[in-house]
Amino acid sequence: MQINLYPEKLDIMEKNIIKIEVIAPKNGIEVGGSIYFPFYLKPFEILINGLDKDGKNNSFVKVIRSDGGKIKVENIINNNDFYILNDLKITIIDKKIKENEKIIIIYGTKENKVYLLRKQKKLKIECKIDSKGNGEYKDVSIEKLSVKNGKPKKLFAVLNSFGEKNKENKLIVYVEDENSNICEDYKTNLEIYINSKKYLFDTKKYSNKKLFQNVFIFKIDCEGVYYAKVIDKKNKLETFSNPIIIKEKIDEYIFWGDLHVHSQISDGRGELQDVYRDAYSRGLEFIAVADHSFGRDDRGNLNERIKYQCEVAKEYTLENEFYPVLAGETHYLDINHLNLYFKDREYKSIINIIKNIEKIIPKNINWKEIEEKEKIINKFWEFLSKKENYEKVLAFFHHTMWLGKKEFFDKSMRLIEICSIFGSSELRNQSENSEKIKVMKERLEYGNQNEKISVKELLDEAYELGFIGGSDNHDGQAGKNALTAIFSKKLDYNSIFDAMYNRKTYATNANRTIFDIKINNKRGSEYFSEDNKVEISGMIAGDGKIKKYVFIGNGKKLKEENIDDFYTKIDYKFKSLEKGYYYFKVFLENGDMAWNSPFFIR
């Protein structure tokens, strides 16, 4: 027998212990039954299944009667979703618990090894309070904690990808502790080597007070590909940066971001402010927090939530430096899952779009009826494909893909998430991927005649899509599993959105490999006719040593080159190419991968 009990009260006793109070239901709980405690505890981290990071079991649980007597229990099970404890199941092996008897569960670890994932002053606890499971989510308590960073463990250095001769370039330096938190209290002197020239840098000087970043400014007077070496002698750390290509003149720059992150607004960690601070600290220039769910199943007041997201995004925008992109992950069409990206950052405009979408989709629909589902999906894509709508909102898939008519689909959905924390969705066959970047397994587990499971299958059926990387990260740390690069003459909100619409993007699994490639002197996802001569020229510079690159045409390898170097020139001439799609894929020596968006022959 399993009974769901919703906490009447939940308190933090210490950093590593929580106390839950519940009331036994009518008829009590029999011996051998189980109590199941669904609650949301964010961003406090309870160790998964009682295991610490070393795999040792440090958890304990006590179940106490209101009179102080203990209740024997076994089979403590945590049902975790992305490292957040959503519920706790405990099997009772003692005497019957009486009706309405108060039960106190004290749960935690034997050692203080439960930790906050990031430095955060507020700890919010949300809990479902209705015993029938229909209640609202409310703050039960707010506990102020002083959470300090651990010792510096890993040093990172991030360069802008393109730079002009004798113009200022930026090197961002940050360090993580053993829990992957950015150490904002990191203060030391660094040795920096760029082009064999040594610089000294004091990290006590910050570029911005609201958003944290250590920035070193430098110039280079010769064209070429450069890397920075950074040494912290005090903490015995050193690192190499990503590449920077120095040119006489730059027509378009590369800017980096993560287009799929979650916060504690839905099922992730960290408040929006914390996620933005983290992203900026890591040298990202744009980020989309696409929280679940923009739709009817949203918890709380959707209007207020979107208004709040718009306000925080504007507050944390740094002109020409950092842009939060307004986004949301919706589950309207039972297509798990679809991200919406909004060009207009005014919340009333976003609400209006969502309300118009809701008019298309009936509240009660049998999604098992394929024909009915297809009709509604086509109406949805038809709505988004209208000029007045696709100029305001773009829709990109990840996970399984239910498609509508191609003529609607192409206008509004221009990109596909090719990699995330779950792996790559490019192919079904792992043998064509790096062993480090696994094929996204859930894509292989679903399917019917209307679903396209991999990106390759979509491209094979002439869906024209560019590539983006969205980490789908739920720990509030953007860019750690996937990145999107955009080509743009400048960095502002409209330019980011325009680059997305025009497919001037490429994707990596969090490395900053540079695709400086042009096709017939054009960069990005362009169209060419079958009788055109095609000239592909440029350079690939790896974020680390390049093992090989593959040039793919219509799903087949047209060229494959072993490199064993940090960068390589590209120079191909084709008299003509068959109708279809073409792109480059890079394999780094460490197993990382990068994909540039396809160009298309019509």
Side-chain angles (χ1 to χ4, degrees):
M1 181 179 68
Q2 178 175 295
I3 297 172
N4 287 356
L5 295 180
Y6 293 87
E8 297 288 319
K9 187 178 180 184
L10 191 152
D11 290 319
I12 302 292
M13 305 295 289
E14 298 174 25
K15 284 185 184 179
N16 62 327
I17 300 173
I18 59 172
K19 184 172 78 171
I20 310 162
E21 293 184 10
V22 296
I23 304 297
K26 188 176 181 180
N27 301 324
I29 300 175
E30 298 290 340
V31 173
S34 62
I35 40 180
Y36 191 63
F37 307 99
F39 62 95
Y40 287 80
L41 188 61
K42 316 179 216 179
F44 195 72
E45 180 163 341
I46 303 298
L47 299 176
I48 300 173
N49 294 327
L51 299 181
D52 65 18
K53 292 193 298 182
D54 299 321
K56 297 177 182 178
N57 193 328
N58 284 296
S59 67
F60 71 88
V61 63
K62 294 179 184 177
V63 183
I64 304 170
R65 298 180 187 276
S66 52
D67 61 7
K70 292 183 180 179
I71 301 172
K72 290 182 182 179
V73 297
E74 64 177 18
N75 298 334
I76 307 162
I77 300 173
N78 301 348
N79 179 20
N80 294 274
D81 184 14
F82 303 106
Y83 309 106
I84 299 168
L85 179 63
N86 280 341
D87 35 58
L88 178 66
K89 181 180 176 182
I90 301 173
T91 301
I92 305 295
I93 56 173
D94 203 296
K95 299 175 183 178
K96 178 177 176 177
I97 297 173
K98 297 176 182 178
E99 178 182 347
N100 293 326
E101 184 175 354
K102 183 183 288 186
I103 308 164
I104 300 170
I105 301 101
I106 298 176
Y107 179 79
T109 57
K110 296 172 186 175
E111 301 174 45
N112 187 15
K113 290 195 175 183
V114 175
Y115 54 88
L116 284 172
L117 194 65
R118 59 183 54 259
K119 189 172 182 178
Q120 191 159 340
K121 293 178 181 178
K122 281 187 177 181
L123 182 66
K124 286 189 176 180
I125 299 165
E126 296 179 348
C127 143
K128 212 171 201 176
I129 58 170
D130 189 326
S131 60
K132 294 180 180 178
N134 300 319
E136 297 178 355
Y137 288 74
K138 293 184 178 180
D139 288 341
V140 178
S141 64
I142 294 178
E143 188 79 9
K144 291 185 177 180
L145 297 177
S146 175
V147 183
K148 294 182 179 180
N149 289 123
K151 292 181 180 179
K153 288 293 182 181
K154 195 170 182 180
L155 186 64
F156 295 85
V158 177
L159 286 169
N160 48 293
S161 295
F162 285 160
E164 289 186 348
K165 278 173 57 176
N166 297 312
K167 295 287 181 71
E168 287 188 347
N169 297 291
K170 186 164 65 172
L171 172 69
I172 297 166
V173 178
Y174 65 94
V175 69
E176 289 182 350
D177 65 13
E178 63 270 22
N179 297 325
S180 299
N181 297 328
I182 288 180
C183 298
E184 294 191 13
D185 52 2
Y186 175 67
K187 295 177 183 178
T188 190
N189 292 311
L190 299 174
E191 291 181 4
I192 299 174
Y193 297 85
I194 303 172
N195 193 21
S196 301
K197 186 176 179 181
K198 180 179 178 179
Y199 303 88
L200 295 177
F201 179 53
D202 183 355
T203 61
K204 293 177 184 176
K205 298 176 182 178
Y206 304 127
S207 66
N208 191 287
K209 293 181 180 179
K210 181 170 66 175
L211 292 172
F212 168 79
Q213 206 175 63
N214 287 319
V215 179
F216 173 69
I217 304 297
F218 65 96
K219 297 179 181 180
I220 296 178
D221 58 6
C222 295
E223 290 187 297
V225 181
Y226 299 93
Y227 294 79
K229 182 179 181 181
V230 182
I231 300 173
D232 175 0
K233 287 186 174 179
K234 178 183 175 182
N235 295 295
K236 298 179 181 179
L237 302 172
E238 66 176 67
T239 190
F240 278 92
S241 73
N242 59 297
I244 180 173
I245 297 180
I246 300 296
K247 299 182 178 184
E248 186 73 38
K249 190 175 181 180
I250 296 172
D251 56 348
E252 288 179 311
Y253 292 89
I254 291 178
F255 301 110
W256 293 92
D258 188 339
L259 288 173
H260 188 178
V261 186
H262 293 279
S263 78
Q264 69 180 36
I265 286 177
S266 63
D267 58 347
R269 276 203 188 83
E271 296 182 18
L272 280 175
Q273 294 89 335
D274 300 302
V275 179
Y276 292 151
R277 281 176 65 82
D278 185 271
Y280 183 70
S281 301
R282 296 178 191 276
L284 297 188
E285 285 138 327
F286 58 93
I287 175 180
V289 177
D291 273 315
H292 308 264
S293 164
F294 272 35
R296 294 191 183 103
D297 58 343
D298 180 69
R299 300 180 204 132
N301 188 310
L302 184 61
N303 288 40
E304 290 303 314
R305 166 184 155 179
I306 293 176
K307 184 177 181 181
Y308 171 73
Q309 287 177 279
C310 291
E311 289 171 351
V312 176
K314 287 180 181 179
E315 180 187 356
Y316 278 76
T317 295
L318 294 178
E319 297 296 333
N320 306 313
E321 281 193 65
F322 182 70
Y323 291 87
V325 176
L326 266 295
E329 183 170 340
T330 181
H331 305 257
Y332 278 122
L333 303 176
D334 191 36
I335 48 180
N336 297 332
H337 297 252
L338 182 74
N339 286 356
L340 301 177
Y341 298 85
F342 299 91
K343 189 172 184 178
D344 190 339
R345 295 201 288 177
E346 295 297 328
Y347 84 96
K348 288 183 180 179
S349 172
I350 295 173
I351 289 291
N352 187 54
I353 291 169
I354 291 171
K355 286 182 177 179
N356 285 332
I357 290 173
E358 287 183 343
K359 291 176 184 176
I360 298 167
I361 304 163
K363 288 185 178 180
N364 300 310
I365 176 172
N366 182 3
W367 288 116
K368 293 179 181 179
E369 292 292 331
I370 302 299
E371 290 185 8
E372 185 69 15
K373 185 171 185 176
E374 284 184 342
K375 286 179 185 177
I376 293 169
I377 287 172
N378 281 323
K379 285 182 182 179
F380 173 77
W381 289 119
E382 184 178 13
F383 169 80
L384 288 182
S385 68
K386 292 178 180 177
K387 193 171 190 292
E388 65 268 25
N389 293 322
Y390 71 69
E391 287 184 344
K392 295 178 183 178
V393 59
L394 296 176
F396 306 152
F397 270 124
H398 61 110
H399 302 318
T400 54
M401 292 168 277
W402 264 85
L403 307 182
K405 290 182 180 178
K406 203 173 297 180
E407 62 265 32
F408 301 146
F409 192 84
D410 180 60
K411 296 277 182 64
S412 55
M413 182 174 156
R414 311 275 292 171
L415 301 169
I416 191 76
E417 189 179 276
I418 198 169
C419 62
S420 72
I421 192 172
F422 301 104
S424 168
S425 58
E426 178 193 10
L427 305 162
R428 290 195 188 214
N429 188 350
Q430 180 62 38
S431 65
E432 297 298 319
N433 258 17
S434 159
E435 281 303 312
K436 183 177 179 180
I437 314 301
K438 298 294 182 183
V439 166
M440 194 180 291
K441 289 182 180 178
E442 62 262 38
R443 289 186 180 275
L444 311 182
E445 294 167 0
Y446 302 114
N448 54 51
Q449 72 260 20
N450 292 52
E451 280 184 304
K452 306 304 169 191
I453 307 299
S454 69
V455 173
K456 178 183 181 298
E457 288 168 275
L458 283 167
L459 294 172
D460 285 344
E461 293 209 6
Y463 285 90
E464 294 172 342
L465 298 166
F467 297 156
I468 57 172
S471 69
D472 201 359
N473 203 314
H474 288 66
D475 67 7
Q477 297 181 338
K480 295 202 72 177
N481 307 100
L483 284 173
T484 296
I486 66 166
F487 293 103
S488 180
K489 292 181 180 179
K490 60 181 180 178
L491 180 64
D492 59 31
Y493 195 82
N494 286 339
S495 296
I496 294 167
F497 199 92
D498 291 344
M500 290 161 66
Y501 181 79
N502 292 313
R503 298 194 291 251
K504 302 193 80 167
T505 64
Y506 67 88
T508 80
N509 69 302
N511 63 83
R512 296 196 181 212
T513 293
I514 297 175
F515 284 108
D516 186 18
I517 296 173
K518 289 186 177 180
I519 299 93
N520 288 0
N521 209 34
K522 293 182 178 181
R523 184 183 279 121
S525 187
E526 297 284 347
Y527 302 107
F528 305 96
S529 64
E530 285 185 88
D531 55 358
N532 270 8
K533 292 180 180 179
V534 177
E535 295 186 2
I536 306 173
S537 61
M539 175 187 290
I540 300 173
D543 188 357
K545 191 174 276 190
I546 301 172
K547 181 181 179 181
K548 68 177 181 180
Y549 72 80
V550 181
F551 180 53
I552 293 169
N554 294 326
K556 299 177 182 178
K557 294 180 184 177
L558 301 185
K559 302 281 185 181
E560 182 172 341
E561 297 286 343
N562 295 320
I563 303 302
D564 193 32
D565 204 345
F566 287 91
Y567 48 90
T568 184
K569 289 186 177 180
I570 302 293
D571 188 10
Y572 292 131
K573 293 180 175 64
F574 298 93
K575 290 183 180 179
S576 64
L577 287 173
E578 293 180 357
K579 183 180 177 181
Y581 63 91
Y582 300 83
Y583 64 92
F584 285 88
K585 177 163 63 172
V586 169
F587 296 79
L588 299 183
E589 198 175 60
N590 66 358
D592 283 351
M593 294 175 66
W595 303 258
N596 81 318
S597 284
F599 67 91
F600 301 95
I601 305 295
R602 286 178 168 177

